[in-house]
Amino acid sequence: MFDIIADRLRQAEKIVFVTGAGISQESGIPTFRGKDGLWRKYDAMKLATIEAFYENPKLVWEWYEERRNNIMAAKPNAGHLAISELEKLKSVHVLTQNIDGLHQRAGSTQVYELHGSIITIKCTVCDFKDIITTSFSQLPPICKCGNILRPDVVWFGEPLPQDIWQDAMQQASSCDVMVVVGTSLAVSPANLLPVYAKQNGATLVEVNPEETLMSADMDLSIRSSAAKALPNLLAVFQR
Ligand code: BJW
Ligand code: ZN
């Protein structure tokens, strides 16, 4: 299996990775829907919508502060690092649903953050936006304009950042191989990216210990964790 995929990667002019929470699981960041997923403990609709935020901004911010602290202390794992190593050898773009910034910290330079970033905050009213890596002394944090600040992430019912989404669709539609890592593909529109790749004739590869909603559409699957599978794949690719 690794040999066949490595061959496809060698032949590819353009490789796209689509990543989700599973790739950061081995960095100690919980997934959403999997075993020990965040939403087994919390009600997503109470936390990941603008309505929930306005109803109880302190509660939602407390959840994000806990996650921000965990993410800030986390390190990229062997899966993130293998992708950034491959970028030194091939054209590699990363379309990620993750908000943790671990691909960039691993050294990937072509990263498209479809669902925003947890270290960026923005005002709910004015144009203020900033990168904040420290803790907030007061929750919810307040903008200079007097209104509440929020994490710069995409909640349910909100559109993805349009420029990033346009670029992501373009990358997906023009790649030769798409490697889908650690995502349940349960959330739209990100789960359309493999569809666009397939329409262009790309080889679809899935790296996930579990089957997903689109496993049947994949050309090749590695049923293993990202931090195990991706360095192995890189090693076979480099042989
Ligand atoms: C491993 C592993 C290891 C484990 N190695 N693998 C009905 C009502 C309301 C809305 C909708 C509806 N039907 C459809 C919608 C649209 C909605 C949607 O898709 N909902 C579905 C849940 C049904 N989508 C939206 O609302 C999106 N916006 C939109 O559609 O806008 C339209 C619009 C247009 C114009 C104007 C206005 C609107 C926005 C979606 C935003 C998603 N946001 C979140 C939260 C981000 C912030 C935060 O983190 O707090 O993004 S939700 C959450 O899910 C997060 C993730 O990025 C996203 C995807 O999850 P992911 O990454 O796939 O994680 P999991 O946990 O699901 O899967 C992990 C996988 O890893 C598993 O398969 C494991 O097996 C695997 N794994 N360990 C490798 N070591
Ligand atoms: Zn403001």
Side-chain angles (χ1 to χ4, degrees):
M1 179 65 71
F2 282 88
D3 283 315
I4 303 171
I5 300 172
D7 262 349
R8 299 284 175 102
L9 293 176
R10 280 188 211 104
Q11 285 156 14
E13 250 172 58
K14 189 161 161 179
I15 300 164
V16 162
F17 284 83
V18 171
T19 66
I23 195 171
S24 296
Q25 187 262 337
E26 285 151 293
S27 292
I29 302 172
T31 62
F32 293 92
R33 296 171 189 83
K35 186 160 55 77
D36 303 326
L38 279 174
W39 293 349
R40 301 269 163 120
K41 270 198 286 178
Y42 302 93
D43 182 349
M45 297 314 269
K46 286 215 177 84
L47 295 163
T49 67
I50 189 70
E51 291 80 14
F53 181 68
Y54 281 132
E55 199 170 300
N56 196 341
K58 191 166 188 295
L59 174 77
V60 173
W61 259 111
E62 279 165 359
W63 187 55
Y64 276 94
E65 265 303 88
E66 196 184 315
R67 292 174 61 209
R68 277 166 58 87
N69 290 337
N70 185 29
I71 285 168
M72 240 67 91
K75 291 194 179 67
N77 65 52
H80 299 103
L81 291 167
I83 294 176
S84 75
E85 281 302 307
L86 189 62
E87 190 193 316
K88 294 178 187 157
L89 309 166
K90 298 290 289 188
S91 161
V92 171
H93 292 78
V94 182
L95 317 181
T96 189
Q97 297 167 79
N98 297 346
I99 59 170
D100 57 31
L102 289 182
H103 284 297
Q104 295 90 323
R105 282 168 55 194
S108 287
T109 65
Q110 304 300 315
V111 183
Y112 300 77
E113 290 181 314
L114 304 170
H115 293 163
S117 161
I118 201 165
I119 61 167
T120 308
I121 53 157
K122 64 181 182 186
C123 183
T124 47
V125 175
C126 77
D127 288 339
F128 176 80
K129 208 180 228 199
D130 202 2
I131 292 174
I132 308 275
T133 52
T134 50
S135 295
F136 294 100
S137 52
Q138 167 210 342
L139 293 179
I142 304 294
C143 180
K144 284 194 205 90
C145 79
N147 291 292
I148 303 173
L149 292 164
R150 59 167 280 182
D152 187 17
V153 297
V154 182
W155 284 324
F156 286 120
E158 295 184 325
L160 274 53
Q162 280 311 293
D163 46 344
I164 294 173
W165 176 242
Q166 291 299 327
D167 287 348
M169 283 194 295
Q170 215 269 323
Q171 296 298 343
S173 307
S174 61
C175 68
D176 303 300
V177 177
M178 176 177 279
V179 188
V180 182
V181 188
T183 171
S184 61
L185 295 171
V187 173
S188 61
N191 61 2
L192 292 174
L193 294 168
V195 177
Y196 298 144
K198 189 128 195 164
Q199 279 167 357
N200 185 49
T203 299
L204 290 188
V205 179
E206 182 166 72
V207 176
N208 196 315
E210 310 284 339
E211 290 209 348
T212 68
L213 294 167
M214 294 196 191
S215 290
D217 300 313
M218 299 290 157
D219 296 296
L220 298 152
S221 298
I222 302 177
R223 291 272 159 258
S224 168
S225 83
K228 286 197 193 106
L230 295 176
N232 279 344
L233 187 56
L234 182 70
V236 176
F237 174 86
Q238 287 176 312
R239 258 205 317 249

